[in-house]
Amino acid sequence: MATFKHISSKNADYGAAEQYLTFEHDEFTMKPTLDENGQIIPRKGYLISSLNCGGEDFAIACMRSNLKYGKNQKREDVKSHHYIISFDPRDAPDNGLTADRAQALGEEFCRTHFPGHQALVCTHPDGHNHSGNIHVHIVINSLRIAEVPLLPYMERPADTREGCKHRCTDAAMEYFKAEVMEMCHRENLYQIDLLHGSKNRITEREYWAKRKGQAALDKENASLAAAGEPPKLTKFETDKEKLRQTIRKALAAATSFEDFSKKLLQEGVTVKESRGRLSYLTPDRTKPITARKLGDDFDRAAVLETLTQNAQNAARAAETPLHRQEHPRSLKDRLQRNKAAINAPKNDGVQRMVDIAAKKAEGKGRGYEKWATLHNLKQMAATMSIYEESGFSSPEELEAALAAASTELNSVHAELKAVESTLREKKDLQKQLLAYIKTKPARDGLRAQKTEQARRAYREQRESEFIISESAARFFKAQGISKLPASKTLQAEIEQLTKEKNALYNEYREKKENVRELQTIKGNIEQILRGAPSQQKKHELER
């Protein structure tokens, strides 16, 4: 699941960014790691490239541009912006993601969304704790050195001008996250819905506080173990994590907001509501922690929804005291129910049996035959087990289930393609709309000219802008658009379509895996029937 983060920096030493990307650093102190000779240790397996630097070193090119335009000279100025795209660790084994491919995606993302900025793009093949997630760092000089087109996340004319600075607003981050999701869909990589909030919102500060606390606790436990004493704690928890657990415990037992408040107060936590937002005050603090900083599970809407559900469950339990028997989900049940979208397909399950006779005819030897015989026995047992547990009474019923699953797959695929087509049309409209908006000063200037000669001269001076404007106008006319939509409304529609595409894409991958599983079972059953007396084996399958 690709994630996207942003860090702004006021450090005037642009070389420090490149040093961090190319040399190992202590993850707690952020200081370079030294070897036994006191030399800094280079990172392994990284890829790095620079953009718009004119063949110069990134740091020199940035400082030269800053002096040219008189920007980034004050201590409080944001000198650079650091964006990080982290890919899912499963993308490498499952989807063929390599460092070279990630680097190419990072460079394409940088050129598309940060045009006119000097930039470093660096790919690291591993993350913290050797998690295996390939991630791309994009560091840009905050100063723009060229005039650029008006992009969807830009809000002011200065956002496109040469000599002005990049602004990372909330709207820009929403746009970048949507584009990262779109990139993952296009490249068939794992992803999550970045446009929705997180149930547990872990900030960068809390993440590192937990890492440092865990390291200190491990060190203390090591010293206790050396002294022969048992450790008191093995897992470090931040104050926010303890507060989340306290809130969840109270929320699980409460059926009303008043009850919820009382249970929290018994734990020393005061819940407050202001302007429709919740905040939580612990005994050791003077300033409450807002629900937004804890996660979406703790905001007013989520809390009230949970309390309502608790009250309904309590009422239902009082009305129906008899315990309802739970049945395990079978393959057949999964095909008939509406399944929730998941982020990745199921990779385990039964495998296809090998046609040993055909492989021997191809020249396979005794060793392969021995392996294939054992493999077929395992897959035969797994196939028969799933076949019986799934409730299929005959091969014909399995065939019907496969046909139904294929129909569902085709339906979701058609819906996904329709959403993709609509999204493509909306993006084409957005591109033309932004181009048309950017030419508004030129069109206004033309209307201000008093004479035909002045208008002709004015058009000649700004011919390229009028070509763009007229091309956009032809596009609107061809699409039958008489009233142009608002830029923010169009962007909101694009984000909503991206969310829909995200959900459909996950559902499509799940249904495709279900079809593949049924096809495998069907193929194995057919091979089992071919390899044994037909009537006897068919009778066993139908029992």
Side-chain angles (χ1 to χ4, degrees):
M1 48 188 176
T3 60
F4 188 77
K5 292 197 299 184
H6 166 258
I7 305 168
S8 59
S9 173
K10 297 180 180 179
N11 188 355
D13 183 7
Y14 288 92
E18 186 170 2
Q19 186 184 60
Y20 172 77
L21 296 175
T22 55
F23 292 93
E24 292 186 6
H25 282 64
D26 184 270
E27 58 184 0
F28 297 135
T29 64
M30 299 307 292
K31 294 181 179 179
T33 305
L34 305 179
D35 60 15
E36 61 275 6
N37 299 321
Q39 301 294 321
I40 54 179
I41 304 174
R43 293 184 185 269
K44 296 179 180 179
Y46 70 88
L47 301 172
I48 191 168
S49 61
S50 60
L51 302 176
N52 299 325
C53 292
E56 290 185 317
D57 181 76
F58 173 71
I60 295 175
C62 290
M63 290 187 287
R64 192 187 300 278
S65 299
N66 291 342
L67 290 173
K68 176 182 177 181
Y69 294 99
K71 296 293 179 69
N72 291 334
Q73 304 300 310
K74 298 178 182 178
R75 183 183 182 90
E76 63 272 16
D77 289 340
V78 174
K79 312 299 189 305
S80 62
H81 294 270
H82 190 162
Y83 294 92
I84 307 172
I85 304 173
S86 297
F87 296 97
D88 193 296
R90 297 173 297 170
D91 278 325
D94 293 356
N95 301 320
L97 182 67
T98 62
D100 289 326
R101 185 182 173 196
Q103 177 73 4
L105 292 175
E107 291 179 6
E108 179 187 356
F109 190 90
C110 184
R111 290 191 185 95
T112 303
H113 303 297
F114 309 117
H117 289 274
Q118 293 151 322
L120 279 178
V121 181
C122 181
T123 298
H124 291 160
D126 202 357
H128 292 303
N129 296 328
H130 304 289
S131 57
N133 66 310
I134 298 173
H135 57 282
V136 181
H137 298 261
I138 301 175
V139 182
I140 66 169
N141 184 12
S142 60
L143 177 68
R144 190 178 303 104
I145 62 172
E147 183 85 6
V148 300
L150 184 68
L151 297 176
Y153 69 88
M154 297 177 177
E155 299 174 347
R156 306 183 306 185
D159 293 335
T160 68
R161 292 175 187 163
E162 176 184 350
C164 294
K165 296 181 66 174
H166 172 75
R167 295 186 313 129
C168 183
T169 61
D170 290 341
M173 282 298 292
E174 291 291 304
Y175 173 76
F176 294 146
K177 289 176 181 178
E179 290 299 301
V180 169
M181 290 168 57
E182 180 70 18
M183 177 181 70
C184 289
H185 285 309
R186 186 180 68 246
E187 300 296 325
N188 196 32
L189 303 175
Y190 292 126
Q191 46 71 46
I192 56 175
D193 191 349
L194 299 176
L195 299 178
H196 282 154
S198 173
K199 295 182 178 180
N200 286 340
R201 186 168 289 108
I202 309 296
T203 63
E204 191 83 5
R205 186 173 183 177
E206 183 181 357
Y207 170 79
W208 286 112
K210 184 175 182 179
R211 292 291 307 280
K212 292 177 181 178
Q214 187 65 48
L217 182 61
D218 291 342
K219 184 177 180 181
E220 181 182 349
N221 288 339
S223 60
L224 289 174
E229 300 178 14
K232 298 178 181 178
L233 292 173
T234 57
K235 182 179 179 182
F236 178 82
E237 293 180 339
T238 62
D239 292 338
K240 285 185 179 179
E241 185 57 35
K242 293 177 182 177
L243 177 58
R244 291 187 188 98
Q245 294 178 6
T246 302
I247 296 172
R248 282 202 168 96
K249 183 179 178 181
L251 193 58
T255 55
S256 67
F257 191 79
E258 292 74 16
D259 189 19
F260 174 59
S261 301
K262 289 179 182 178
K263 292 184 183 301
L264 280 181
L265 198 57
Q266 292 173 0
E267 301 293 334
V269 179
T270 304
V271 58
K272 298 181 179 180
E273 182 178 356
S274 175
R275 298 180 181 179
R277 300 175 182 175
L278 298 184
S279 60
Y280 304 88
L281 180 63
T282 55
D284 57 332
R285 293 175 61 94
T286 57
K287 185 178 179 181
I289 300 175
T290 62
R292 185 178 63 84
K293 293 182 179 179
L294 294 174
D296 288 351
D297 273 359
F298 310 97
D299 63 18
R300 184 176 182 274
V303 167
L304 292 180
E305 182 181 355
T306 303
L307 292 174
T308 302
Q309 187 175 1
N310 289 349
Q312 293 174 350
N313 291 340
R316 194 178 299 115
E319 294 174 359
T320 56
L322 295 177
H323 177 69
R324 187 179 65 180
Q325 184 179 1
E326 294 290 337
H327 297 281
R329 293 180 63 186
S330 65
L331 177 62
K332 190 175 181 181
D333 294 330
R334 295 201 304 270
L335 292 170
Q336 295 172 344
R337 296 180 185 178
N338 292 326
K339 295 176 283 293
I342 58 173
N343 288 325
K346 182 167 65 68
N347 292 321
D348 56 355
V350 66
Q351 299 177 22
R352 290 295 300 268
M353 294 172 61
V354 178
D355 189 342
I356 299 178
K359 293 296 183 181
K360 288 176 66 177
E362 293 176 4
K364 296 293 185 181
R366 179 67 179 171
Y368 181 86
E369 181 182 356
K370 184 177 180 181
W371 170 86
T373 302
L374 181 61
H375 170 81
N376 282 358
L377 288 173
K378 291 180 179 179
Q379 299 312 315
M380 184 185 300
T383 299
M384 297 305 298
S385 175
I386 295 176
Y387 185 90
E388 293 171 358
E389 291 176 2
S390 300
F392 295 123
S393 58
S394 66
E396 289 75 17
E397 189 172 340
L398 172 61
E399 182 71 32
L402 176 58
S406 300
T407 301
E408 291 181 9
L409 176 64
N410 294 335
S411 175
V412 173
H413 184 257
E415 191 176 354
L416 176 61
K417 288 299 181 183
V419 172
E420 287 179 339
S421 177
T422 305
L423 182 60
R424 214 163 27 243
E425 292 172 1
K426 292 290 184 182
K427 288 196 170 184
D428 289 342
L429 174 59
Q430 184 185 54
K431 180 180 179 181
Q432 297 294 338
L433 180 63
L434 292 174
Y436 192 72
I437 291 173
K438 190 173 181 181
T439 61
K440 186 178 185 300
R443 289 181 278 113
D444 292 343
L446 180 63
R447 283 192 292 269
Q449 304 303 312
K450 302 299 183 183
T451 65
E452 183 64 30
Q453 183 178 0
R455 283 193 289 271
R456 190 181 304 110
Y458 186 87
R459 281 187 64 95
E460 290 176 356
Q461 291 175 357
R462 295 164 176 80
E463 183 179 6
S464 60
E465 294 180 68
F466 283 104
I467 291 174
I468 294 173
S469 173
E470 290 166 0
S471 174
R474 287 194 298 271
F475 176 85
F476 300 143
K477 185 177 180 180
Q479 298 297 320
I481 300 173
S482 56
K483 184 178 179 181
L484 298 182
S487 298
K488 291 186 178 180
T489 302
L490 185 58
Q491 178 61 26
E493 291 177 2
I494 290 175
E495 291 179 2
Q496 181 60 34
L497 286 169
T498 303
K499 292 177 184 178
E500 293 178 14
K501 180 181 176 182
N502 182 46
L504 286 170
Y505 180 78
N506 291 330
E507 186 179 358
Y508 171 75
R509 294 183 73 164
E510 183 187 8
K511 289 185 180 298
K512 185 177 180 180
E513 184 63 18
N514 283 333
V515 170
R516 186 205 65 79
E517 185 180 46
L518 285 171
Q519 288 174 338
T520 301
I521 294 173
K522 179 176 177 291
N524 288 352
I525 291 294
E526 290 175 350
Q527 187 164 339
I528 291 170
L529 291 173
R530 287 196 304 269
S534 179
Q535 295 300 323
Q536 178 185 352
K537 202 63 183 179
K538 190 170 183 179
H539 177 67
E540 291 178 3
L541 289 171
E542 292 176 348
R543 278 193 306 182

